[in-house]
């Protein structure tokens, strides 16, 4: 196995220190940030995307990786993951190293399953999160915002402001 970690962050020095032997052997590569085109070219060389974040909102890297056919192995942190990752295209697991290893091992020992899950990962992103699908979602959202509604009531401590160009509902 070869592991590649992309980007940098507060844990980079810790990882470099604790994975020094693996880095020296070439088993682990910690890559600095580089151009988007180079990143996509590099990511296509991988089979799996692991997301082990403690906090996550809308992980764009997950969508990008899946669009390239990487099978996601994600922890169960509530976020977009639950909308996108399903048993046929990836794994949502409790955040424990053993669970990541089990999912990774299952894919390693069943390459046919890996290929099917890869195709399913690519399919959900292209069909449900591609440019046209997202444009339709945004348009529907803006149309909904533009509709007057008497049913919206705000708590006293919340003072909403309208989106520029739209009236406050």
């Amino acid at each position: 196995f070869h592991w590649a970690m992309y980007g940098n962050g507060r844990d980079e020095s810790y990882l470099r220190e604790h994975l020094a032997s693996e880095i020296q052997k070439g088993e682990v590569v910690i890559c600095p940030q580089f151009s988007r085109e180079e990143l996509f070219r590099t990511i296509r060389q991988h089979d799996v995307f692991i997301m082990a974040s403690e906090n996550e909102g809308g992980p764009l890297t997950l969508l990008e990786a899946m669009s390239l056919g990487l099978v996601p192995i994600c922890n169960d942190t509530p976020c977009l993951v639950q909308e996108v990752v399903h048993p046929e295209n990836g794994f949502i697991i409790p955040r424990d190293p053993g669970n990541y290893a089990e999912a990774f091992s299952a894919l390693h020992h069943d390459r046919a399953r890996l290929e099917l899950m890869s195709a399913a990962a690519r399919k959900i992103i292209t069909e449900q999160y591609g440019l046209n699908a997202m444009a339709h979602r945004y348009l529907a959202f803006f149309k909904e915002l533009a509709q007057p509604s008497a049913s919206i009531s705000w708590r006293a401590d919340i003072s909403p402001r309208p989106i520029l160009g739209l009236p406050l509902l």
Side-chain angles (χ1 to χ4, degrees):
F1 297 108
H2 294 277
W3 297 87
M5 297 176 201
Y6 296 96
N8 51 24
R10 62 182 171 89
D11 295 327
E12 181 179 354
S13 59
Y14 173 86
L15 289 171
R16 287 186 183 280
E17 178 183 336
H18 287 84
L19 297 172
S21 173
E22 290 82 1
I23 291 170
Q24 187 175 12
K25 292 179 203 170
E27 296 169 354
V28 173
V29 176
I30 298 178
C31 304
Q33 293 183 340
F34 41 80
S35 74
R36 183 179 180 91
E37 294 77 25
E38 189 177 350
L39 178 63
F40 283 152
R41 191 170 41 255
T42 303
I43 287 175
R44 284 188 175 99
Q45 298 172 17
H46 302 292
D47 295 320
V48 176
F49 174 78
I50 297 175
M51 189 175 82
S53 303
E54 289 180 1
N55 299 303
E56 202 58 72
L60 184 56
T61 55
L62 170 67
L63 299 178
E64 291 172 337
M66 289 177 72
S67 76
L68 296 172
L70 276 68
V71 176
I73 302 174
C74 304
N75 63 352
D76 55 1
T77 299
C79 66
L80 178 65
V81 168
Q82 284 76 10
E83 297 294 322
V84 179
V85 180
H86 306 286
E88 67 274 2
N89 67 19
F91 299 85
I92 298 177
I93 57 174
R95 193 170 188 264
D96 176 86
N99 294 324
Y100 291 98
E102 285 177 23
F104 198 76
S105 179
L107 293 173
H108 176 64
H109 290 97
D110 189 347
R111 300 304 279 188
R113 180 180 182 192
L114 173 72
E115 292 302 321
L116 288 172
M117 292 177 85
S118 172
R122 199 172 17 258
K123 181 179 179 181
I124 191 171
I125 300 305
T126 56
E127 289 180 359
Q128 296 183 23
Y129 295 91
L131 198 56
N132 287 337
M134 293 308 295
H136 287 293
R137 280 193 185 100
Y138 286 127
L139 287 173
F141 173 69
F142 289 131
K143 286 178 183 177
E144 185 179 314
L145 286 178
Q147 298 298 316
S149 174
S151 65
I152 297 176
S153 60
W154 300 96
R155 296 187 334 232
D157 61 330
I158 298 177
S159 301
R161 291 188 234 170
I163 295 175
L164 294 179
L166 294 177
L168 180 61
L169 303 178

